[in-house]
Amino acid sequence: MESALKDLSTPTGGVEDVYGEDCATEDQCITPWTIAVSSGYNLLRDPRYNKGLAFTERERDAHYLRGLLPPVISSQELQEKKLMQSIRQYDVPLHKYVAMMELEERNERLFYKLLIDNVEELLPIVYTPTVGEACQKYGSIFKRPQGLYISLNEKGRILEVLKNWPEKSIQVIVVTDGERILGLGDLGCQGMGIPVGKLALYTALGGVRPSACLPITIDVGTNNEKLLNDEFYIGLRQRRATGQEYYDFLHEFMSAVKQNYGEKILVQFEDFANHNAFELLAKYRTSHLVFNDDIQGTASVVLAGLIASLKLLGGALCDHTFLFLGAGEAGTGIAELIALEISNKTKIPVEETRKKIWLVDSKGLIVSGRKETLQAFKKPWAHEHEPVNNLLDAVKAVKPTVLIGTSGTGRTFTKEVVEAMACMNKRPLIMALSNPTSQAECTAEEAYTWSEGRVVFASGSPFPSFEYDGKLNIPGQANNCYIFPGFGFGLVMSGTIRVHDDMLLAASEALAAQVTEEHYAKGMIYPPFADIRKISAHIAASVAAKAYELGVATRLPRPADLVKYAESCMYTPNYRSYR
């Protein structure tokens, strides 16, 4: 890759870009190389190069495809139209998910073309909420591996396992141990659906080329009795490894990744349990390029919504009071980033800005009187206050302007809670962030109805628009997909070697800046997903700019226009012509 970066000061695209796959080269012929030139039956079985009926007469002659295809020649656009018609005929979302995964396995470019052009329709299929059901049933729908499975059986040989993956120029790894999949709990080895889905979005939404992405599941067992007794379960049939055995295994993995792929490989931790997520992020953030989407990605996308919502709520961020239901990795991660943003804007120490933020866990409001029994990551949020046992009483005591749910428990924002928020605030902001949809703290319809249409609402999973008193309200979706693809792409394109919190703040501000007056008029605090590639380019540029400013970017010289450079480097799924 280094040799391709001869002069980045004037990004013009073309064959000299990072990937050699941008739209400036779409009309140039390429050779479908594997170990040798891929031809004939093998070419039709290679998802990266297969074009199905879109092979031209000339390509059919050159690559020995005569007789292997019907005589008709179809355009990629017609193929896309046909497949969308087919997918829309399925009534069950999981069937749509399986159809999309099968498409990816036979025609990679068509899969991404479909996903990019129909992102608002297909995002809930390839990711939340459908991916949750797919993980629950992964053993039954498993057909071929889409990533690496590294189990305790491979202890001492992880580097050897990494070398078995056919692609060598990996830039992004998404890894899970399956212990806390969405709000569904321990799904063990079947959590692989999450890294696969996340990396599909890295490509479709962020522009990282598919061959540079590697999904990995670390299988240390599962404590899910139902899976252990399931004849179709695909993982180790043993209880989870814990303690020193677990951390030694993860350390071997992280060391092997760095040894095999180098300093600039991005490792994204995904759906690890709280007690491991914070430990792993703290341990490796100073020695590896690591990012935890549940802690940092969620925090960044929520902060973006908060910044954007100020146009509707009024005031500055420091003028608001925040109450969280849920004090796990998502809740505390969001809270810390809010405190950092307020500190950056006001120059008030973060220890003070934290006092604007209150958290409720399963035992009630986190207060100083509970400090001795709290986990370490909760202690910064233990403020001076009398004990409060439930959310409704906490709302009445704290009087928040913003209520954020990260509890993983559905229907916890009750009618009384929402009405209390609406009574205290002209326009309360309520964010029901838990996934999947069944676990959301309240629905959009409930929030709008109980607040008499005055609430500014966002959720983690999608909800339909809702009309109240003649006004159509469009719920925001605080989906990590807004942040992590562009964020990761910004790290990759700048050759960043460490993640800094200031990069997360930059990503949040870049996303908030994409919300227009037209969006605000509809009550939206996030831009529509239809613009996600453009949004990701702006986020990538902002993240890269901060990396250059902090001196942790290694791609030199810095491009003059980072947005244009990001757009020129993005993978495009349009078919290429073959020699």
Side-chain angles (χ1 to χ4, degrees):
M1 178 182 286
E2 303 289 350
S3 62
L5 299 167
K6 293 179 182 176
D7 181 12
L8 306 186
S9 58
T10 54
T12 56
V15 293
E16 296 298 327
D17 76 293
V18 172
Y19 303 137
E21 293 178 338
D22 63 67
C23 55
T25 66
E26 284 173 12
D27 59 349
Q28 298 179 21
C29 290
I30 63 166
T31 300
W33 287 99
T34 50
I35 296 174
V37 177
S38 188
S39 290
Y41 194 74
N42 289 336
L43 178 55
L44 299 178
R45 292 297 181 269
D46 187 335
R48 188 180 309 174
Y49 293 112
N50 177 34
K51 299 195 292 185
L53 294 177
F55 283 107
T56 65
E57 295 282 358
R58 181 178 175 183
E59 289 170 335
R60 295 182 188 205
D61 284 333
H63 293 281
Y64 307 99
L65 296 173
R66 287 290 175 191
L68 299 180
L69 293 167
V72 72
I73 296 174
S74 176
S75 66
Q76 190 177 23
E77 289 69 27
L78 188 60
Q79 289 178 316
E80 182 180 3
K81 179 180 178 181
K82 175 185 174 183
L83 278 165
M84 283 307 299
Q85 284 183 354
S86 175
I87 288 169
R88 286 167 181 153
Q89 288 177 1
Y90 291 112
D91 294 324
V92 180
L94 185 62
H95 295 166
K96 295 183 180 184
Y97 174 89
V98 171
M100 287 295 292
M101 292 304 105
E102 288 176 345
L103 173 61
E104 185 182 19
E105 290 173 9
R106 69 176 184 271
N107 189 329
E108 185 177 89
R109 285 183 176 269
L110 188 55
F111 169 82
Y112 285 111
K113 177 75 170 164
L114 228 66
L115 186 51
I116 290 169
D117 291 348
N118 304 275
V119 63
E120 291 180 295
E121 182 176 351
L122 294 178
L123 186 60
I125 301 301
V126 299
Y127 200 57
T128 57
T130 309
V131 73
E133 183 183 0
C135 287
Q136 290 176 308
K137 300 175 180 176
Y138 212 74
S140 299
I141 65 175
F142 177 86
K143 292 184 178 178
R144 69 186 283 261
Q146 295 172 289
L148 279 178
Y149 295 84
I150 302 177
S151 75
L152 287 171
N153 293 339
E154 283 74 60
K155 186 176 181 180
R157 300 191 302 166
I158 294 180
L159 180 60
E160 178 186 330
V161 174
L162 291 176
K163 291 181 182 297
N164 286 343
W165 188 250
E167 301 293 345
K168 305 307 175 188
S169 300
I170 301 298
Q171 295 171 323
V172 183
I173 289 172
V174 175
V175 59
T176 187
D177 70 352
E179 189 168 4
R180 193 200 60 83
I181 298 298
L182 301 174
L184 303 170
D186 185 351
L187 298 183
C189 193
Q190 297 189 169
M192 178 57 100
I194 297 295
V196 168
K198 287 277 186 180
L199 286 169
L201 300 182
Y202 256 109
T203 297
L205 312 187
V208 179
R209 74 188 190 277
S211 60
C213 299
L214 175 55
I216 295 180
T217 288
I218 301 288
D219 186 359
V220 295
T222 179
N223 294 334
N224 187 324
E225 292 292 343
K226 184 177 179 181
L227 290 179
L228 290 173
N229 295 319
D230 183 353
E231 63 178 327
F232 298 125
Y233 180 56
I234 58 176
L236 289 178
R237 294 181 185 273
Q238 65 178 61
R239 308 290 292 180
R240 277 190 173 273
T242 58
Q244 199 59 43
E245 181 184 12
Y246 176 87
Y247 286 110
D248 286 348
F249 191 64
L250 265 293
H251 188 69
E252 182 189 348
F253 168 73
M254 292 301 294
S255 300
V257 163
K258 193 170 181 178
Q259 183 178 344
N260 200 46
Y261 298 117
E263 191 81 19
K264 292 176 282 191
I265 178 73
L266 171 60
V267 178
Q268 178 170 313
F269 296 120
E270 198 66 42
D271 287 356
F272 285 75
N274 289 345
H275 54 280
N276 292 326
F278 288 102
E279 180 77 20
L280 293 170
L281 184 60
K283 181 174 182 179
Y284 293 108
R285 68 185 305 170
T286 57
S287 60
H288 292 66
L289 181 66
V290 294
F291 172 68
N292 186 303
D293 191 40
D294 302 300
I295 300 172
Q296 297 166 296
T298 300
S300 188
V301 76
V302 173
L303 177 59
L306 294 174
I307 294 171
S309 72
L310 296 176
K311 284 275 185 102
L312 300 174
L313 305 182
L317 207 60
C318 60
D319 299 324
H320 291 271
T321 302
F322 306 87
L323 179 64
F324 285 77
L325 177 63
E329 56 192 281
T332 55
I334 298 165
E336 185 65 19
L337 203 63
I338 295 170
L340 283 171
E341 176 74 0
I342 296 174
S343 178
N344 278 9
K345 296 298 183 188
T346 62
K347 308 306 177 188
I348 298 172
V350 71
E351 291 78 14
E352 288 298 312
T353 61
R354 287 188 184 122
K355 293 178 181 178
K356 300 284 290 182
I357 305 166
W358 298 80
L359 280 71
V360 173
D361 66 7
S362 60
K363 295 180 175 61
L365 193 66
I366 294 178
V367 294
S368 55
R370 296 177 51 197
K371 215 162 191 176
E372 294 301 315
T373 60
L374 291 173
Q375 294 164 284
F377 62 87
K378 293 184 182 181
K379 289 184 178 181
W381 312 103
H383 307 320
E384 290 293 334
H385 199 283
E386 292 298 313
V388 178
N389 296 325
N390 60 70
L391 178 62
L392 180 58
D393 288 343
V395 168
K396 292 176 179 177
V398 173
K399 294 180 170 54
T401 54
V402 179
L403 179 63
I404 300 174
T406 60
S407 63
T409 305
R411 302 301 185 268
T412 43
F413 289 173
T414 61
K415 185 173 187 283
E416 292 75 19
V417 167
V418 175
E419 286 177 341
M421 286 292 296
C423 183
M424 296 172 191
N425 302 285
K426 183 178 179 181
R427 293 214 74 178
L429 173 59
I430 295 180
M431 306 182 86
L433 301 179
S434 294
N435 289 317
T437 310
S438 60
Q439 303 303 109
E441 285 78 8
C442 68
T443 67
E445 179 178 346
E446 289 168 344
Y448 291 121
T449 302
W450 295 336
S451 67
E452 298 177 333
R454 290 185 286 115
V455 73
V456 177
F457 180 80
S459 56
S461 289
F463 281 104
S465 301
F466 179 72
E467 186 174 331
Y468 183 88
D469 198 21
K471 181 186 176 183
L472 184 65
N473 298 281
I474 301 178
Q477 190 184 351
N479 194 318
N480 293 25
C481 301
Y482 277 116
I483 289 290
F484 74 81
F487 185 84
F489 187 58
L491 300 176
V492 168
M493 79 179 201
S494 58
T496 298
I497 56 173
R498 297 291 180 270
V499 171
H500 194 283
D501 286 337
D502 283 352
M503 298 174 191
L504 296 168
L505 299 180
S508 298
E509 291 169 4
L511 175 56
Q514 299 300 308
V515 185
T516 67
E517 292 298 331
E518 181 185 352
H519 302 144
Y520 286 127
K522 299 174 182 176
M524 298 168 65
I525 56 174
Y526 292 98
F529 269 112
D531 300 328
I532 190 62
R533 298 267 286 191
K534 173 191 164 191
I535 294 166
S536 292
H538 281 272
I539 291 172
S542 295
V543 170
K546 185 58 68 173
Y548 283 108
E549 180 186 321
L550 295 170
V552 291
T554 62
R555 305 268 185 235
L556 300 172
R558 168 182 165 155
D561 188 328
L562 284 167
V563 174
K564 284 186 178 178
Y565 179 61
E567 291 172 343
S568 77
C569 291
M570 281 183 161
Y571 167 86
T572 54
N574 296 337
Y575 285 150
R576 314 302 297 274
S577 296
Y578 300 154
R579 296 184 182 92

